[in-house]
Structures are given as C-alpha cells and as structure tokens.
Amino acid sequence: MSAPADVPAAVRMFRTQLAAVAWLQASGYRVSKSLFSQHVRKGLIACNAAGLFEVPALLGYAAVNLTPTARIEDAQAQAAAVGRLSADADWRAVKAERERIKLQKESGLVMPVRAHEDELAARAVFFKAEIEGFIHRAGPRIIDLVHGNPDSLQELIIWWTDATADWMDAWSREREFVTGDRDDIEPGVPTEEL
C-alpha cells in the first residue's frame, strides 16, 4: 500500500509514535497506539539513526504485521453475506419441509395429531357405550338362547363370539363421530346411523 497522496514529499519521517500511528491509520491500516508501542519495544519497527520512523519502513512493518482496514471490511462483508446465505438456506429448508408436510396432508398421508386423538377418543367412547349397553339390548336374546338350560352353553358361546366380532368391526370401521355435548345422540349409535 503506498503513502496517501496528501502526505507531502518532505514529510517522509515521523518523530513520534503517535504521528506514525496516525499516518498508518490514514493509510488504511488497523493499528492502535498501544499495539504500535508494543511492536516498537519488540523491535518489529525499524527506526533510522536519528530515531525517526520512515515511511518505507512503516509500510514494510504494516505489510507484515498489520491488517488493512479494507481487508477487515471485506471479511466482515463476507461473513455477513455467508450469514445471509445460511439464513436463506435455513429458511428455504423450513419452507420445503412445510410444503412436504402440506402435500402429505393433502394426500391423506398425515393428519393433525389433535384430530387423530379426537377420533380415537370418540371411538373409545362409542366402544364403551356399546359394551355397557350390550347386556341391556341383548339380555332378552340371551335368555331365549339358553332357555335357562346349561346344556345350551355352546350355542351361547357361538352367538357371543359373533356378537363380539361385530363389536370389533364397529370399532375398526372408519366413520365420523361427533364430539362434544349432544343430547340427541343415542349411546352406542354412530352418527352415520342417526
């Protein structure tokens, strides 16, 4: 990096560290007074016989030991750009995932958890009502089947097996259940039959 154009040709040396630091900063290097002082003590900066800081020596020192502010700004701009690209990629990934789930939902492959839980709860209520109401609905039929005769046990078991198979079919069949408080729904009767 060359000396700034506004530095007069006669001023090619600086008497103090403060003047040398000011010139380096004006030349586009990142340097503080304390850092420059440390480097002077370590002997990283060459002075002439009179103890003055010459411009060519300062430029050599800066090239080896300092970072140009333009490079710092470029690095900051590059980091910001990478951050923006990363955020954009993350946003696009989230958007793609949302679209994938939306497509699955529209295709019937997924459903909201709440809707699934509501459906299972409604099925459980229906099945419980079927079991509780069965004996009241089927009691007379049971009495007719066995005629009070223990020898009719095999006929009762066959009938019971068929009846419970119907319950399981009712449990597993797809249907819509109404959830909520409805006084007009008869227990054990699915809404599709009302």
Side-chain angles (χ1 to χ4, degrees):
M1 185 170 273
S2 61
D6 60 341
V7 176
V11 183
R12 293 288 179 186
M13 292 180 267
F14 301 97
R15 186 176 303 268
T16 64
Q17 289 182 15
L18 290 176
V21 167
W23 184 83
L24 285 169
Q25 289 171 342
S27 297
Y29 289 98
R30 183 175 182 182
V31 63
S32 66
K33 293 180 261 185
S34 61
L35 178 65
F36 190 82
S37 179
Q38 287 174 6
H39 287 176
V40 168
R41 284 193 300 273
K42 289 181 181 178
L44 298 176
I45 303 164
C47 297
N48 65 12
L52 301 174
F53 300 102
E54 295 179 353
V55 169
L58 289 174
L59 288 174
Y61 155 76
V64 173
N65 298 295
L66 301 179
T67 304
T69 53
R71 202 175 321 152
I72 292 169
E73 291 166 0
D74 287 347
Q76 290 169 343
Q78 184 179 11
V82 167
R84 283 191 303 273
L85 288 174
S86 177
D88 186 53
D90 290 347
W91 177 79
R92 287 180 189 274
V94 167
K95 187 176 177 183
E97 180 65 13
R98 291 178 90 190
E99 289 299 318
R100 186 185 65 77
I101 291 171
K102 185 178 176 184
L103 180 62
Q104 285 181 335
K105 193 179 202 183
E106 290 170 354
S107 301
L109 299 175
V110 295
M111 65 185 291
V113 172
R114 177 66 187 219
H116 182 67
E117 289 173 347
D118 287 348
E119 184 177 313
L120 289 176
R123 281 184 176 202
V125 167
F126 169 74
F127 195 60
K128 184 175 187 270
E130 280 292 307
I131 292 170
E132 289 172 350
F134 178 78
I135 193 65
H136 300 289
R137 289 190 314 272
R141 177 80 174 120
I142 293 171
I143 291 170
D144 286 345
L145 280 173
V146 295
H147 304 290
N149 182 0
D151 295 333
S152 302
L153 180 61
Q154 187 61 35
E155 187 179 340
L156 175 61
I157 290 172
I158 292 168
W159 177 80
W160 185 266
T161 303
D162 291 342
T164 54
D166 290 343
W167 289 349
M168 295 312 294
D169 287 343
W171 168 258
S172 61
R173 188 172 67 212
E174 289 293 324
R175 63 176 75 198
E176 245 183 80
F177 295 92
V178 175
T179 56
D181 296 334
R182 294 240 343 243
D183 296 332
D184 61 335
I185 296 178
E186 182 181 336
V189 180
T191 58
E192 64 189 27
E193 295 175 11
L194 290 178

